[in-house]
């Protein structure tokens, strides 16, 4: 199995055997102009036959965006206009009205030139539906370089890759950008109460439990810790170095996350929070994240478990409300096992459909969007106007990237306007001047970041026996783990955990793991073949 360090070794081998451009992923948004130690920007816009950006040169491509929540309704605003000027391509956008629209379009064969989707990657990755990217690159854009690991994590069972998913950069590239930060679970504490109890050091999980115990004793009417629905496990699994979902490595082989033996350690810790009265049973029934947030905002909770933005999120609202207290982000890692495990090979991707009237223009447009120039323009805006590069090699923005009105007006999308990478996302998160607490929290997480992207490719095909097993296990866990959390003693918690694991094996955990081992080997071979 490949740990992060072993992945870096693989990339070194690739660098020796491939050309510098291919290894560097220059057209994959990995460049970082201005930092002084990065590869040069490459992948400029394709030249137009009739004069770049002129009315005669412009071509129109149709694109279906498979996200009803996409912030843009059309290809307008200064950023899309700048992209059109650079590429000679304008886009006629159709945004999905619901999640069923794209499958119906695929079934009918009535597709536009481009499709941007995350929920139907497997359906679009079909030679009857879409062009393989390599076929188009070989024919029209031979200088469009994609590294072998990125190809491997996007290649499907027929040996082709039909897209490159956004939000991914090879570990070897990430290592060049220490200021590209990763997000994860976070914890915010009442600043005034910490001062009142003497600002005790919190360097370990035991220290954290001791502080919660002190708060419970001195402030009996206060909830020591409020957990956020959907994020309940994010902070403590981070501290214990455990995956939250998907596949992980167990004894040198891929295995579904619940089969990691140390998961019991997490469940025992969560049970201790309950048995010592630091959390309440009703927190596990909450569906709305605002239920836990309101406890913190109204002064009824000492600690709020959320993400790296927990303290800054609360403090912004508390300032508006004129509250007399604030929160501080707990940034240190509290164990030597801490690990931010992110095996995700990306999320959404752009496809060139077999219905495309101009596949050459489509792949050239994609080449530009995936270049350093294109990803930064789409993600960050216009350099010198919307952002400037700081000496440390990160963007400093002149606008609020979370302001949806600004996004809609100008047309940039901070999580990726059709194409982005971990690097473009991560560098944008490094904001020590404007967001010092969340930046510090993410810096601590990034130091313990671990990734094996091939594990992230282990996603059973919809309708397969393995997909059914995985779904049934996940549904079972939701019910079974509540019994562990709310067990009345440590022994009862261990018993409930063992019963959950027995049930997982009955559902088919071993069969799912056997499938994962085979698929992982196939993915590895795709990389080894190109070394």
């Amino acid at each position: 199995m490949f740990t992060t360090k072993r992945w870096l070794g693989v990339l070194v081998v690739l660098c020796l055997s491939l050309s510098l451009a291919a290894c560097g992923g220059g057209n994959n948004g990995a460049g970082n102009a201005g930092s002084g130690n990065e590869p040069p920007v490459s992948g400029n816009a394709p030249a137009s036959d009739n004069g770049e950006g002129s009315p005669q040169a412009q071509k129109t491509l149709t694109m279906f965006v498979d996200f009803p929540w996409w912030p843009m309704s059309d290809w307008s605003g200064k950023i899309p206009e700048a992209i059109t000027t650079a590429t000679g391509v304008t886009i006629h956008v159709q945004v999905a009205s619901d999640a069923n629209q794209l499958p119906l379009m695929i079934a009918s064969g009535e597709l536009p030139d481009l499709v941007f989707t995350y929920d139907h990657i497997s359906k679009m990755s079909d030679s009857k539906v879409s062009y393989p990217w390599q076929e188009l690159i070989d024919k029209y854009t031979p200088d469009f370089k994609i590294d072998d690991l990125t190809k491997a994590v996007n290649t499907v069972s027929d040996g082709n890759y039909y897209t490159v998913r956004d939000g991914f950069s090879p570990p070897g590239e990430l290592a060049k950008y220490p200021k590209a930060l990763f997000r994860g679970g976070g914890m915010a504490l009442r600043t005034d109460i910490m001062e009142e109890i003497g600002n005790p050091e919190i360097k370990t999980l035991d220290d954290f439990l001791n502080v919660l115990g002190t708060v419970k004793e001195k402030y009996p009417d206060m909830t020591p810790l409020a957990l956020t629905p959907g994020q309940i496990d994010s902070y403590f699994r981070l501290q214990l170095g455990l995956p939250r979902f998907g596949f992980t490595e167990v004894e040198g082989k891929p295995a579904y996350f619940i089969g990691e033996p140390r998961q019991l350690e997490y469940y025992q810790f969560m049970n201790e929070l309950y048995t010592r009265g630091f959390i309440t049973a009703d927190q596990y029934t909450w569906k709305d994240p605002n239920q836990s947030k309101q406890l913190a905002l109204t002064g009824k909770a000492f600690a709020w478990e959320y993400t790296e933005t927990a303290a800054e999120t609360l403090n912004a609202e508390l300032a508006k409300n004129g509250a007399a207290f604030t929160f501080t982000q707990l940034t240190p890692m509290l164990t030597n096992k801490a690990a931010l495990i992110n095996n995700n090979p990306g999320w959404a991707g752009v496809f060139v459909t077999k219905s495309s009237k101009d596949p050459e223009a489509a792949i050239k447009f994609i080449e530009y969007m995936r270049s350093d120039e294109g990803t930064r323009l789409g993600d960050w805006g216009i350099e010198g106007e919307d952002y400037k590069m700081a000496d440390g090699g990160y963007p400093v923005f002149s606008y609020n990237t979370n302001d949806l009105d600004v996004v809609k007006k100008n047309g940039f999308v901070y999580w990726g306007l059709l194409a982005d990478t971990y690097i473009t996302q991560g560098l944008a998160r490094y904001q020590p001047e404007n967001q010092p607490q969340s930046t510090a929290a993410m810096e601590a997480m990034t130091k313990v970041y671990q990734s094996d992207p091939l594990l992230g490719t282990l996603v059973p095909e919809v309708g397969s026996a393995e997909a059914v097993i995985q779904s049934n296990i996940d549904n079972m866990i939701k019910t079974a783990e509540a019994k562990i959390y709310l067990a009345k003693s440590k022994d009862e918690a261990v018993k409930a955990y063992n019963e959950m694991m027995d049930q997982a094996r009955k559902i088919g955990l071993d069969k799912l793991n056997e499938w994962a081992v085979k698929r992982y080997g196939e993915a590895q071979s795709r990389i080894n073949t190109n070394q």
Side-chain angles (χ1 to χ4, degrees), residues 188-195 296 302 311 314-316 318-319 323-329 437:
L189 311 178
R190 276 275 295 267
T191 308
D192 58 335
I193 293 179
M194 283 293 290
E195 292 174 352
F302 162 72
L314 293 174
N315 290 342
L318 290 169
F325 59 90
T326 61
F327 281 79
T328 300
Q329 194 80 19
Q437 294 204 61

Side-chain angles (χ1 to χ4, degrees), residues 73-370:
S73 59
D74 56 21
W75 192 251
S76 64
K78 70 176 183 179
I79 302 308
E81 289 171 4
I83 292 171
T84 294
T85 298
T87 63
V89 172
T90 188
I91 303 294
H92 178 75
V93 177
Q94 179 186 1
V95 179
S97 58
D98 58 58
N100 298 317
Q101 193 170 354
L102 181 56
L104 292 174
M105 293 169 67
I106 294 172
S108 69
E110 296 179 0
L111 290 167
D113 299 298
L114 301 168
V115 168
F116 186 35
T117 182
Y118 75 102
D119 207 25
H120 298 293
I121 294 283
S122 61
K123 286 184 173 65
M124 292 299 302
S125 297
D126 185 326
S127 61
K128 297 178 181 178
V129 178
S130 306
Y131 283 102
W133 270 27
Q134 194 64 57
E135 176 184 327
L136 298 178
I137 290 171
D138 290 343
K139 187 173 182 179
Y140 301 118
T141 57
D143 293 331
F144 185 6
K145 305 300 182 183
I146 299 173
D147 67 272
D148 284 342
L149 180 55
T150 299
K151 290 179 182 178
V153 300
N154 287 284
T155 297
V156 297
S157 57
D158 68 1
N160 294 309
Y161 63 101
Y162 296 84
T163 191
V164 168
R165 282 171 285 197
D166 291 349
F168 174 76
S169 295
E173 280 299 300
L174 279 170
K176 301 175 184 178
Y177 301 93
K179 288 183 172 58
L181 303 181
F182 289 87
R183 303 185 62 201
M187 186 70 65
L189 311 178
R190 276 275 295 267
T191 308
D192 58 335
I193 293 179
M194 283 293 290
E195 292 174 352
E196 288 171 13
I197 63 177
N199 275 325
E201 286 189 334
I202 303 179
K203 293 184 176 181
T204 67
L205 282 177
D206 284 340
D207 290 341
F208 179 67
L209 291 175
N210 289 338
V211 168
L212 293 182
T214 300
V215 170
K216 181 175 175 57
E217 179 183 351
K218 291 184 175 293
Y219 305 89
D221 295 331
M222 178 175 285
T223 299
L225 172 60
L227 303 175
T228 298
Q231 298 287 340
I232 283 176
D233 62 342
S234 62
Y235 181 74
F236 296 111
R237 278 194 165 111
L238 162 65
Q239 298 302 327
L240 294 170
L242 293 168
R244 299 178 62 201
F245 44 76
F247 288 84
T248 188
E249 177 185 344
V250 176
E251 297 180 352
K253 296 180 179 180
Y256 203 50
F257 81 102
I258 200 62
E260 161 61 70
R262 288 199 308 110
Q263 292 286 0
L264 175 58
E265 187 177 352
Y266 158 76
Y267 285 112
Q268 287 178 311
F269 181 86
M270 297 301 289
N271 176 249
E272 183 176 359
L273 290 175
Y274 173 69
T275 56
R276 294 181 63 174
F278 299 154
I279 59 176
T280 56
D282 63 335
Q283 292 187 32
Y284 292 112
T285 67
W286 292 344
K287 303 299 181 184
D288 183 357
N290 285 319
Q291 289 178 273
S292 64
K293 184 179 177 182
Q294 283 304 311
L295 283 183
L297 290 172
T298 56
K300 297 178 181 178
F302 162 72
W304 185 46
E305 180 266 348
Y306 181 52
T307 70
E308 79 288 340
T309 65
E312 290 171 344
T313 297
L314 293 174
N315 290 342
E317 295 195 34
L318 290 169
K320 290 180 181 178
N321 297 337
F325 59 90
T326 61
F327 281 79
T328 300
Q329 194 80 19
L330 181 59
T331 59
M333 296 296 103
L334 303 182
T335 77
N336 57 10
K337 305 171 186 175
L340 181 63
I341 299 173
N342 183 352
N343 297 326
N344 190 352
W347 68 294
V350 178
F351 293 82
V352 181
T353 75
K354 284 294 181 70
S355 301
S356 176
K357 61 183 177 293
D358 195 340
E360 178 179 2
I363 195 64
K364 287 183 176 180
F365 176 77
I366 290 170
E367 178 186 21
Y368 176 77
M369 293 305 300
R370 294 206 65 82

Side-chain angles (χ1 to χ4, degrees), residues 3 7 34 181 223 227 439 443 472 491:
T3 61
W7 271 122
L181 303 181
T223 299
L227 303 175
T439 297
E443 284 184 295
N472 288 340
D491 289 343

